[in-house]
Every structure is written in C-alpha cells, then in structure tokens.
Amino acid sequence: MSHKILFIDDEINSLKTISAILKKHNYTVITAQTVEEGIVQLRKHKPNCILLDYRLPGMDGIEMLRWLKQENITLPVIMLTAYGTIEKAVEAMKLGAFHYLVKPVDPDLLLETIREAILKHETFSYQPNISHKFPEIIAKSQAMKEIFYIIDMVADTSSNVLITGESGTGKELVARAIHRLSKRKDRSFIVVDCTTIPENLLESELFGYEKGAFTGATDKKIGLLELANGGTVFFDEIGELPISLQKKFLRFLQEKEIQRLGSINKIKVDVRVIAATNRDLEKAVKEGTFREDLYWRLNVVRIHLPPLRERKEDIPLLVQHFVQKFAQENNRPIPTLEPEVMEVLINYEWPGNVRELIHVVERAVILSTSGVISFKHLPKRLLGQKGEKEILPTDTFNLLEMEKTLILKALNETGWNQTKAAQLLGISRKQLRTKMKNHGLLPVSSIKDEEEDEEEAS
Ligand SMILES: Nc1ncnc2c1ncn2[C@@H]1O[C@H](COP(=O)(O)OP(=O)(O)OP(=O)(O)O)[C@@H](O)[C@H]1O
Ligand SMILES: [Mg+2]
C-alpha cells in the first residue's frame, strides 16, 4: 500500500511539479491550496505525512502547526518555503515540524526527508523493547528509548545523522552504535575531530593530495574520506569546521565524490557521515559562521541527547553499572552505596553529564575501602551549595595548589570538556592533560581511552 502525502501549497506550479515527483515514487498525493482545505482533507484521507508551505493565504503554515499540536495530531510535517530564514525554521521545528526545506526543493533531499519522516512516525507508533540491542548504552528513560528507536531505524540507511547534546552526553557512543548496527560495521569508523586538526591541514587530511600538489607534497596522500570508503566518518565538533571548507564539504555530501588536491580526477566514495556538536548550530547559522545549506544537509536525521539532569531515571542505573565495572577492574568486592549518597547523585546537576558521573563513581570506588560508599568519597562540589566557593582555597599561596584549583574550576565550568577548559586557561589541550595527570585528575582508564581515541582520530 502506498503512503499518502497531504501537500498544502497555494502555488499551482509548485503543487504540480512536486506532486509529479512524489507520484513517480509511488506516493498517493492529496493536495490543498489553503490550510482550511488541508484540514478537511486531513480528516478525510488520514495521510502519513504533510508537506506544508510556509506562506499561505488565510491561516499560514505556522498556524497549522499550532493547530496540529493543539489537536494532538502527531503526523510528521515537512515545511517548505521560498524564503529560507533560520528564524522561521527554528520556530517551525519548535512547533514540532519534522524538517524544513527551502524551495526550489532538491527532489532527492525531499524524497529522503519524506522517507525518514514516515519511517520515524511509524516506528514510534509501535515500540517493543529494544534495549538489548544497545548493551553499551546504559539507559532506561523514555527519552533514551526513543533514541534507541531512531538509531535502530536509521542505522541501515545511508542518511546523514546530526547528533547534538552537551559535552559528555554520549554523542560518540551513539555514533559508534549507529555504525555497529549498520551494514558497514566491518568497515572502518573514522573520527575526524574538527577542533584538533589545524585549519590549514584539514582540507588535505580529508581529501588527500597528489605528489607535487603543493610545496612539501613529496608523495601522494590518501585522505580520510577516501580511506573511509565503505565505512562511516564521524565528524566531531562539526560546528568548528572552518567556513572556508564548508562549501567543499557540502559538495562532497551532495556528490559523494572527492578530488585529491592537485588532481583533476573525481573519485566516487561511499561513506556515511555522522556529525556531532555541542554548539548551537542554529545560532552559528544565524551568526554566519555555519552555512545554512550545509546545516540542512546534515540535519536530515537529528538525534538530540538530553543532558543527564533531564533524565534522572538513568542515574541510578548508570551509577550501579559503573560501580560494578570499576570494582571488578580493581579486583574489589562491589561496594554498596549509602542511600543518601544515591540521593545526592540523583539531585546533582551533572554539568559534565555521563562523563562526569563516570569520573565521580570511579573515584568513589577507589577511595572506599570499607565496602560502603559514603559522602566522604564524593567530591566536594556534589555536596556544597556552591561548588565554586568550596574549591577556592582561602588560605593557600601554594602555587601548585592554586593551579590545581584553577584547573578544577575551568573543568567544572566547562562540564569537564578538556578542549574548552584548556581554552579558558589559555593553554593547549595537551598541556592541560599533562597538568591533569600530574595533579591526579585523570583516571587511569580515561587516559587509556582517550589515547585510543586520539590514535583513531589521527
Ligand atoms: N548512556 C551511557 N551509558 C554508558 N556510558 C555512557 C553513556 N553515555 C555516555 N557514556 C560514556 O561517557 C563518556 C562520554 O561519552 P561521549 O564521549 O560519547 O560523549 P560526547 O557527547 O561525545 O562528549 P563531548 O561533546 O565532550 O565529546 C564515554 O566514556 C561514554 O562511553
Ligand atoms: Mg565526543
């Protein structure tokens, strides 16, 4: 049975051309020229998806979104407009639109978006428990369960995925899960961290170059995108991709072809792109530091990881999991938690999210030798009213102590994001890590973890 699409637009030309494309791809199209007429058709035909023009005579697209919301109708809506402005798009998305496309619409992008919208909607209507598919992601909250569905649904497609969320919420973990559940799982998963590769090297790192392409190119080099052929490339901190490279990157996403620097040959590459950011990309678009067209290309499937403080149900499960893990790793019996300790852990705001929780639990397991974890094994910032006051030494002039305090302050302020903390302190990330190591602020396991990460990224 073909899916039904309700298409509301007042421009006859647009109605005709887009309907023709949809019909060619086996969709049943119901059209309307006003929202009012669209609502009548909606009740009569029960479509699977709505394509909605933004500017309409009478009620406009935004008003229709409000109406749908009011009526509790959860159909996926894709907004279309001739006047692409990010403000309108954000408003539409906030009102629950699935996606926002600028006219003239690229037919491939439109079809891809419709497919995702319908798939997502159908999957949500029927939700068996699929947590067992994600043994590495510890979670039981409704928000995370919905994320499991999205991962499960998109893993096997080739759609680009944009993962957003604060630092330490598990963006990379989710990206790896998508790769693991895809047909590409036996091919490579390459991490490109846009913050650690210097801007002038990024282009040649990504696209590669021919011998003699520039002074110093003594041999040819295969770029990361070509190396990843058949696999997945994870662009971490995509918001930091220099504007000078964004156009070229967009072209790559559209054509799925690369050209090594200094070469005229185009090479087809089949890679799945997953991008992540903890920055507000919509804001970056508004400010002109991120291309809008690239944003919409990447944003076909969006996974937003809510901060841990908005899914507190996950905290006890995470704590138990990591208590057990670190006890086993350290050959200790599994300690129990005093009930008040769990209460503190649940009530804490977790600016560094799951990453911070893991650090706190590891520290507590190591410090507690009696088999019970109590208040004294928790860092002061979890107990005090104002963490900041507590860690500022009032009577020390010891330089090393002061340094440690400042580092902790910077880490706390940035949710334990080392890149940002280093920026705040005016030192390199590497210098920061060395200092953290000297002050005993890096758990051994994380040093190992991150070194592996860095190897993969390089
Ligand atoms: N739900 C979870 N279950 C188990 N481990 C988790 C979960 N969420 C995050 N983690 C762990 O927390 C750490 C941080 O996660 P990850 O690196 O994926 O975060 P991120 O969102 O990419 O952070 P950043 O923006 O700082 O790069 C990792 O060690 C990851 O394995
Ligand atoms: Mg990350």
Side-chain angles (χ1 to χ4, degrees):
M1 198 191 69
S2 79
H3 285 118
K4 284 185 213 161
I5 296 175
L6 172 61
F7 180 22
I8 309 176
D9 196 341
D10 59 333
E11 281 169 62
I12 303 286
N13 274 343
S14 157
L15 273 182
K16 275 193 190 151
T17 38
I18 295 181
S19 299
I21 296 170
L22 297 177
K23 283 182 187 155
K24 213 171 110 198
H25 286 83
N26 275 333
Y27 289 106
T28 304
V29 187
I30 303 133
T31 57
Q33 283 181 266
T34 61
V35 168
E36 291 79 356
E37 189 192 341
I39 291 177
V40 176
Q41 301 286 37
L42 175 74
R43 294 215 157 102
K44 192 158 137 203
H45 295 280
K46 306 204 166 37
N48 305 86
C49 175
I50 303 174
L51 274 189
L52 180 61
D53 191 27
Y54 187 92
R55 269 211 201 166
L56 291 162
M59 273 170 85
D60 68 9
I62 289 289
E63 282 166 322
M64 168 127 190
L65 285 176
R66 282 209 189 91
W67 179 84
L68 288 166
K69 207 170 179 175
Q70 214 177 5
E71 297 287 307
N72 263 329
I73 299 175
T74 57
L75 281 178
V77 179
I78 298 165
M79 299 286 292
L80 303 178
T81 181
Y83 318 91
T85 75
I86 196 83
E87 284 87 358
K88 285 181 189 170
V90 170
E91 191 186 0
M93 302 298 268
K94 276 195 186 136
L95 282 166
F98 177 79
H99 206 71
Y100 186 92
L101 298 172
V102 178
K103 288 179 182 174
V105 185
D106 168 13
D108 286 340
L109 191 57
L110 176 68
L111 290 165
E112 197 178 333
T113 309
I114 292 178
R115 210 166 40 238
E116 294 298 343
I118 293 180
L119 204 57
K120 183 169 172 186
H121 186 248
E122 285 180 346
T123 326
F124 281 136
S125 331
Y126 169 68
Q127 303 194 340
N129 191 353
I130 54 165
S131 308
H132 62 274
K133 289 195 180 175
F134 303 93
E136 76 278 44
I137 305 180
I138 312 297
K140 61 179 267 203
S141 58
Q142 184 57 28
M144 289 302 290
K145 278 190 195 150
E146 286 179 9
I147 287 171
F148 288 164
Y149 282 106
I150 304 179
I151 300 177
D152 194 39
M153 186 183 79
V154 300
D156 238 355
T157 70
S158 53
S159 295
N160 303 330
V161 180
L162 178 64
I163 308 175
T164 54
E166 290 179 11
S167 181
T169 46
K171 297 186 291 296
E172 180 160 348
L173 195 64
V174 165
R176 288 180 186 275
I178 295 174
H179 177 72
R180 179 177 60 76
L181 290 170
S182 73
K183 285 195 208 77
R184 302 166 181 267
K185 65 176 184 296
D186 298 322
R187 312 297 286 273
S188 45
F189 178 89
I190 292 186
V191 180
V192 177
D193 185 340
C194 300
T195 57
T196 53
I197 306 178
E199 180 168 347
N200 57 343
L201 293 184
L202 197 52
E203 185 174 9
S204 62
E205 283 290 319
L206 289 180
F207 296 93
Y209 52 79
E210 296 293 343
K211 183 174 176 176
F214 46 84
T215 14
T218 48
D219 252 317
K220 86 168 179 198
K221 180 182 161 92
I222 308 289
L224 292 172
L225 294 173
E226 198 177 337
L227 273 180
N229 201 359
T232 305
V233 183
F234 176 57
F235 279 85
D236 206 357
E237 297 307 336
I238 190 75
E240 308 297 325
L241 188 70
I243 193 101
S244 57
L245 258 185
Q246 289 177 15
K247 191 164 175 195
K248 189 156 179 187
F249 184 54
L250 174 68
R251 198 163 340 117
F252 157 74
L253 290 177
Q254 285 165 336
E255 317 289 336
K256 290 282 155 83
E257 284 178 345
I258 58 133
Q259 228 173 331
R260 294 183 200 146
L261 304 184
S263 166
I264 47 162
N265 294 328
K266 292 187 171 156
I267 307 167
K268 275 264 168 230
V269 289
D270 164 32
V271 299
R272 200 297 158 74
V273 170
I274 304 179
T277 180
N278 54 27
R279 263 182 58 183
D280 185 344
L281 269 193
E282 284 87 8
K283 193 163 149 235
V285 169
K286 237 189 256 178
E287 287 166 355
T289 55
F290 203 83
R291 290 180 67 105
E292 185 166 4
D293 43 9
L294 177 57
Y295 169 77
W296 289 113
R297 253 295 149 178
L298 289 170
N299 195 30
V300 174
V301 175
R302 170 78 156 254
I303 297 181
H304 178 70
L305 287 167
L308 194 52
R309 63 184 166 279
E310 286 175 16
R311 45 180 167 111
K312 289 189 182 285
E313 316 89 282
D314 290 341
I315 295 175
L317 208 62
L318 283 161
V319 171
Q320 292 301 351
H321 173 87
F322 286 104
V323 164
Q324 198 170 343
K325 174 170 180 269
F326 291 123
Q328 277 162 357
E329 278 179 17
N330 292 287
N331 291 319
R332 300 253 180 104
I334 297 165
T336 51
L337 266 75
E338 282 181 358
E340 304 82 27
V341 168
M342 188 59 99
E343 206 174 303
V344 167
L345 295 176
I346 292 172
N347 289 329
Y348 180 60
E349 287 285 285
W350 298 110
N353 294 295
V354 184
R355 183 182 292 116
E356 186 185 8
L357 179 140
I358 297 174
H359 284 297
V360 167
V361 170
E362 179 172 23
R363 180 177 180 274
V365 169
I366 289 169
L367 292 179
S368 75
T369 43
S370 62
V372 178
I373 295 178
S374 57
F375 279 161
K376 63 173 190 268
H377 305 124
L378 298 182
K380 286 208 179 82
R381 66 175 187 282
L382 270 73
L383 304 168
Q385 307 83 339
K386 275 272 158 273
E388 189 182 297
K389 274 226 176 71
E390 297 236 0
I391 58 163
L392 265 181
T394 47
D395 52 5
T396 180
F397 288 96
N398 179 311
L399 200 54
L400 280 178
E401 276 299 310
M402 295 283 276
E403 179 179 274
K404 184 173 175 182
T405 303
L406 274 175
I407 289 174
L408 272 172
K409 196 163 176 284
L411 285 166
N412 281 329
E413 236 156 66
T414 56
W416 284 74
N417 180 320
Q418 294 174 15
T419 310
K420 284 188 191 154
Q423 273 168 7
L424 209 60
L425 292 162
I427 57 179
S428 72
R429 181 165 177 272
K430 200 160 166 213
Q431 282 173 320
L432 173 65
R433 289 183 57 78
T434 311
K435 287 184 192 295
M436 285 172 73
K437 207 157 149 186
N438 293 342
H439 288 298
L441 294 172
L442 277 184
V444 183
S445 62
S446 102
I447 299 175
K448 218 178 84 236
D449 259 21
E450 296 213 15
E451 273 167 8
E452 278 166 12
D453 282 350
E454 271 158 23
E455 268 167 33
E456 267 182 294
S458 60

